[in-house]
Amino acid sequence: MSEQKLEIFNVLNYLSRGYELENILKEGTFGTFPSAQDCIKYLVDEGYLEGEFDDGSSSGALTAEEISKKYTVAELKDILRENGLKVSGKKQELVERVWPVLNDDSSEPASKDVSYDLELTQKAKEFLDENQWIDLYMFAIAMFRFDDYETYVNNSSEDMIQTAHNFCDEVISKALMANQFLIFIDGLSAKAHVFAYVGDYESFLDYDLQRFILGLNPIFMDAQSYATYDVVNYANILNLKNVTEKLDLGSLKKRFDRIWVKSNIKNTTVPKKTAFKILQNSFAIADEENASERFEELNFDLKEKYFDKKFGI
C-alpha cells in the first residue's frame, strides 16, 4: 500500500500544480498499478478525481484477444470464407484478418482508446494536505526507502521539516557507527536538500559542499563500496554549481575552507588545495556537451592517482 500511496500522491500533486494529466501519465511509473489507465481508474473509483472518464471498456469493438478466445480456427475460416478473404495461416493471422470484418472497420486492430476530462475532488485536496511530507520526501529523501520514512513520519511528533532533519541526522549517525560511508554521504546530501526545500540555501551549500569534500576524503571504504564509487558525484556538482552561480552567497573559496575545517578530516586522501581545484574543474566539465563521459574519466583518473594505492582494493 505504501508504494501505491506514493504514486497516488505524485499524480495528484502534479495535477494540483497545473500539469496536464496526459503529460503526467506519459512521464510516470505507477508502482502497484499495471498501467496509467489502471491508476486513473482507481483514482476515479476512489473519489480522488471527478469528471468524464472513458477507459474504452464500453466500446462494442472486440479486441484481437477477445476474438481469439471466442472463435475456433474453423469458425474464423468460415467467417473469412463468407467474406471472400484468404483462409490459410495460423490462428493469429486469421484473427488479424477477421478483426475488421467483425468490427465493421477496415483499420488494423488497436488498443482501446482512453479519454478523460478530470479534476481533483475535495477528498484529493485533503489527501494532499495530510500527506505533504511525501512532497518533501520526493524532493530530498527519495534515496532512502519510502516505507522506512513513512514509518518514521508516523512515529514523529515534530513538524514535517524537523522530522526530515531528525531522520537525516539518524541516518548519518547510524552510518558512521556502522562504517557505511555511501549511506553517510547520501545522508549529508539529503540533509542539504531538506534545507533547500525551505529556501535555506546557505545551509544547503554547506552540507552539499561537505558531501563533496568528504567524497574526496572517505572516512572509510570497503571493497564492495569502492567497486562502484564515484569520487566526484555528477549530481552533487550540478547542485553546487547551480546554487553558487544563481545566488550571491559570498566567496566559495572562503566557504570551502570553513567547511573543510568543519569536516575534521583525520586522514587526507586529496589535499585541500587540490580538492578545491577539482571542484573548479568539475564546474567547467559540467558545462560540456559530453559531461557524463568527462566525469567518468575524471573519476577514473582520481581513483588511479589518489585512491587505488591507499585503499589497496
Side-chain angles (χ1 to χ4, degrees):
M1 179 60 191
S2 290
E3 186 180 3
Q4 188 179 82
K5 182 177 182 178
L6 175 61
E7 298 305 332
I8 290 169
F9 180 89
N10 285 335
V11 172
L12 297 179
N13 196 34
Y14 278 118
L15 277 173
S16 72
R17 295 181 177 185
Y19 288 87
E20 294 293 331
L21 183 57
E22 233 176 297
N23 295 330
I24 297 170
L25 299 182
K26 287 177 183 176
E27 296 298 325
T29 55
F30 302 94
T32 57
F33 297 106
S35 67
Q37 181 177 329
D38 290 297
C39 178
I40 296 306
K41 187 175 187 306
Y42 175 87
L43 294 176
V44 172
D45 291 345
E46 293 298 314
Y48 291 107
L49 296 175
E50 61 185 1
E52 296 181 9
F53 173 64
D54 179 10
D55 64 2
S57 60
S58 61
S59 172
L62 292 170
T63 65
E65 184 179 0
E66 289 168 340
I67 293 172
S68 182
K69 289 180 180 179
K70 184 175 181 180
Y71 296 92
T72 65
V73 170
E75 289 171 333
L76 291 171
K77 287 185 176 181
D78 286 342
I79 296 171
L80 291 170
R81 194 176 291 111
E82 290 171 4
N83 286 273
L85 298 172
K86 184 178 177 182
V87 296
S88 62
K90 296 179 180 179
K91 185 173 185 180
Q92 185 57 39
E93 294 175 297
L94 301 180
V95 169
E96 292 176 357
R97 210 173 295 143
V98 85
W99 190 92
V101 175
L102 294 178
N103 288 295
D104 192 26
D105 185 19
S106 60
S107 64
E108 293 297 319
S111 60
K112 297 179 181 181
D113 291 331
V114 180
S115 61
Y116 33 69
D117 182 14
L118 301 165
E119 58 183 29
L120 298 177
T121 63
Q122 185 59 36
K123 179 180 178 179
K125 294 172 183 176
E126 290 173 358
F127 175 83
L128 289 174
D129 288 341
E130 292 169 3
N131 295 283
Q132 192 60 31
W133 60 270
I134 299 179
D135 186 55
L136 174 55
Y137 167 81
M138 292 299 297
F139 183 86
I141 310 175
M143 68 277 289
F144 301 108
R145 291 180 69 251
F146 180 76
D147 286 358
D148 293 340
Y149 190 65
E150 182 179 28
T151 299
Y152 194 88
V153 168
N154 290 337
N155 292 328
S156 175
S157 59
E158 304 283 358
D159 64 31
M160 180 178 76
I161 302 301
Q162 190 57 52
T163 295
H165 279 306
N166 292 345
F167 177 84
C168 294
D169 290 340
E170 285 194 20
V171 166
I172 291 168
S173 177
K174 289 178 180 179
L176 283 172
M177 293 177 64
N179 288 346
Q180 296 174 320
F181 181 70
L182 298 185
I183 295 177
F184 167 68
I185 56 176
D186 277 347
L188 289 177
S189 182
K191 180 89 171 173
H193 281 76
V194 174
F195 281 115
Y197 188 82
V198 294
D200 183 356
Y201 289 103
E202 290 276 0
S203 298
F204 166 83
L205 191 54
D206 285 352
Y207 273 92
D208 232 26
L209 198 54
Q210 187 175 30
R211 187 250 181 269
F212 170 81
I213 290 170
L214 291 175
L216 291 173
N217 294 275
I219 302 169
F220 33 75
M221 183 69 68
D222 58 45
Q224 184 177 359
S225 299
Y226 189 67
T228 58
Y229 182 57
D230 285 335
V231 180
V232 177
N233 180 271
Y234 189 10
N236 177 231
I237 292 299
L238 289 178
N239 291 332
L240 293 170
K241 183 175 185 294
N242 288 336
V243 170
T244 54
E245 288 182 353
K246 292 179 180 179
L247 301 174
D248 183 13
L249 298 177
S251 168
L252 180 60
K253 181 62 169 67
K254 288 182 180 179
R255 186 182 295 268
F256 183 93
D257 291 342
R258 175 169 58 80
I259 300 302
W260 181 281
V261 173
K262 178 183 177 181
S263 299
N264 195 27
I265 300 169
K266 301 293 186 183
N267 191 1
T268 302
T269 302
V270 179
K272 182 173 76 170
K273 185 176 181 179
T274 303
F276 187 72
K277 287 182 178 179
I278 292 171
L279 179 63
Q280 292 176 308
N281 185 38
S282 297
F283 281 4
I285 291 174
D287 287 329
E288 298 180 12
E289 288 187 9
N290 60 337
S292 58
E293 290 84 357
R294 292 279 285 112
F295 273 105
E296 287 182 14
E297 294 171 4
L298 174 62
N299 277 302
F300 180 85
D301 293 342
L302 290 173
K303 277 190 168 184
E304 189 176 49
K305 185 172 183 179
Y306 295 102
F307 286 76
D308 288 348
K309 184 177 180 180
K310 177 174 180 177
F311 291 98
I313 299 171

